[in-house]
Amino acid sequence: MLARFLLWALLLFLVGRTIRRVLAGVAQGAAPPQPRAQRPSGPPATGELMARDPVCGTFVLPSRSTSMRDKSGTHYFCSDTCRQAYNGAPRPA
Ligand SMILES: [Zn+2]
């Protein structure tokens, strides 16, 4: 009996929380969107293509990453650690 009551209480709590979250989302959606020009900083909205770190597979912005040139081209890394790992790793033939 008590267990059933607790289950209902938990269910009502979860439903109430979900409804509140949905209402908050609707309120946010109804607000006018912020123009992009007002953003003081952050990644460029358009233009720059992401490059893939060949060591860990993370996608990075070339302008904000560590890069290295070799015979096969320019490579971009998320960190110096990955760049060094790439340098030290045996190259596939
Ligand atoms: Zn990396």
Side-chain angles (χ1 to χ4, degrees), residues 53-58 60 76-79 81-83:
D53 182 327
V55 175
C56 67
T58 303
V60 294
Y76 299 97
F77 304 91
C78 68
S79 64
T81 312
C82 280
R83 192 165 61 103

